[in-house]
């Protein structure tokens, strides 16, 4: 699985969009980008994934650059409950073995 | 479907004692994973099962650790002769094998171990 790089921490004002970047410059053509988040004292929670096209679900939007070397997770209207550590992971679509988590980005949503 | 359940949620034990954690995955999920997480770190992979077969073990999993999934349903993680360095959150996750598309892990809330 390709390596990812994320900022250690970010702040976002409540009600504003939170844009969390992830670099994955060594991504291969059949690797997906996944995002999980972990709220304090809970297990990680799946948010969204994508391959080439931008994706949106009820939780977030995922924007993947055309060269696929980076992506951005967007929380359109951040709330205090979105304060969490956000993990960007790249892996093969057919990979069913272990998911490797990096340190992630600690997002603080500020009132 | 109540998601992935882990028990106990908290365990405090003295050094040298044995502890066992249980994980009940989502019923139709055939893959089950164990992770360990210490404060400020991302989850670290320990081991995973497909049905009852243990397919991979991390080097983090010393001889004091053993995991089982005897009937391909629930799983147990046992730590023998606990050490203070074993203090961590132990997370269980499950997923279902699909022929294409995403393999999304669903995590439990974790079992927090404190070794005194």
């Amino acid at each position: 699985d390709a390596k990812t790089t994320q900022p250690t921490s970010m702040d976002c004002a409540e009600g504003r969009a939170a844009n969390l970047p992830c670099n994955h410059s060594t991504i291969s053509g059949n690797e997906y980008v996944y995002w999980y988040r972990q709220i304090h004292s809970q297990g990680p929670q799946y948010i969204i994934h994508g391959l080439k096209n931008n994706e949106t679900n009820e939780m977030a939007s995922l924007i993947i650059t055309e060269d696929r070397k980076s992506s951005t997770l967007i929380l359109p209207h951040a709330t205090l409950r979105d304060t969490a550590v956000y993990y960007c992971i790249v892996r093969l679509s057919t990979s069913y073995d272990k998911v490797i988590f990096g340190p992630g980005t600690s997002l603080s949503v500020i009132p | 479907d109540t998601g992935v359940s882990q028990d106990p949620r908290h365990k405090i034990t003295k050094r040298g004692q044995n502890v066992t954690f249980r994980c009940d995955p989502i019923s139709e999920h055939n893959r089950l994973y164990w992770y360990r997480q210490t404060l400020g770190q991302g989850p670290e992979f320990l081991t995973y099962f497909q049905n009852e077969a243990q397919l991979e073990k991390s080097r983090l999993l010393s001889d004091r650790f053993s995991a089982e999934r005897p009937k391909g349903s629930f799983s147990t993680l046992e730590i023998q002769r606990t050490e203070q360095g074993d203090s961590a959150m132990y997370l269980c996750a499950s997923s279902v094998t699909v022929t294409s598309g995403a393999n999304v892990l669903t995590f439990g809330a974790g079992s927090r171990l404190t070794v005194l």
Side-chain angles (χ1 to χ4, degrees):
Chain A
D1 297 336
K3 179 180 171 58
T4 62
T5 304
Q6 300 178 250
T8 302
S9 63
M10 294 181 63
D11 292 338
C12 177
E14 187 179 16
R16 304 296 293 270
N19 297 287
L20 293 93
C22 179
N23 286 321
H24 31 80
S25 58
T26 61
I27 192 170
S28 63
N30 54 355
E31 287 185 308
Y32 281 69
V33 180
Y34 291 76
W35 283 84
Y36 286 78
R37 75 177 182 183
Q38 187 173 23
I39 296 170
H40 183 62
S41 296
Q42 298 183 19
Q45 175 193 24
Y46 165 79
I47 302 173
I48 198 168
H49 75 281
L51 182 63
K52 295 181 181 178
N53 299 320
N54 298 336
E55 303 288 344
T56 296
N57 63 20
E58 66 278 4
M59 292 183 67
S61 295
L62 174 60
I63 307 299
I64 302 174
T65 58
E66 191 170 346
D67 64 7
R68 302 185 69 242
K69 292 185 177 182
S70 66
S71 60
T72 301
L73 179 74
I74 301 172
L75 308 178
H77 305 286
T79 70
L80 298 179
R81 288 176 292 181
D82 292 321
T83 293
V85 177
Y86 288 77
Y87 299 101
C88 170
I89 295 159
V90 171
R91 61 201 307 261
L92 293 170
S93 64
T94 54
S95 176
Y96 307 120
D97 62 3
K98 60 184 180 289
V99 173
I100 302 298
F101 288 83
T105 296
S106 179
L107 174 69
S108 296
V109 179
I110 301 168
Chain B
D1 181 5
T2 57
V4 178
S5 298
Q6 293 190 244
D7 184 71
R9 291 294 311 279
H10 303 276
K11 178 71 176 179
I12 300 174
T13 191
K14 293 182 179 180
R15 188 176 53 184
Q17 299 295 305
N18 299 342
V19 296
T20 299
F21 301 113
R22 175 180 169 123
C23 173
D24 287 274
I26 294 172
S27 57
E28 63 267 27
H29 285 188
N30 58 350
R31 290 194 175 240
L32 185 147
Y33 307 77
W34 284 100
Y35 285 79
R36 179 174 68 187
Q37 187 173 29
T38 53
L39 196 62
Q41 304 296 316
E44 297 174 298
F45 169 78
L46 293 178
T47 188
Y48 85 101
F49 295 82
Q50 179 170 328
N51 300 313
E52 66 275 10
Q54 189 172 18
L55 296 186
E56 186 170 352
K57 293 171 59 174
S58 165
R59 283 173 287 183
L60 292 174
L61 216 62
S62 75
D63 291 344
R64 297 184 298 105
F65 288 70
S66 63
E68 294 182 343
R69 194 182 183 199
K71 297 182 180 179
S73 57
F74 73 92
S75 175
T76 58
L77 177 68
E78 181 183 17
I79 309 174
Q80 296 182 325
R81 305 181 303 281
T82 52
E83 303 172 355
Q84 288 183 326
D86 297 330
S87 295
M89 176 76 83
Y90 290 86
L91 293 161
C92 176
S94 68
S95 74
V96 62
T97 300
V98 296
T99 55
S100 62
N103 177 37
V104 173
L105 271 61
T106 302
F107 282 83
S111 294
R112 181 167 296 283
L113 173 65
T114 301
V115 181
L116 302 176

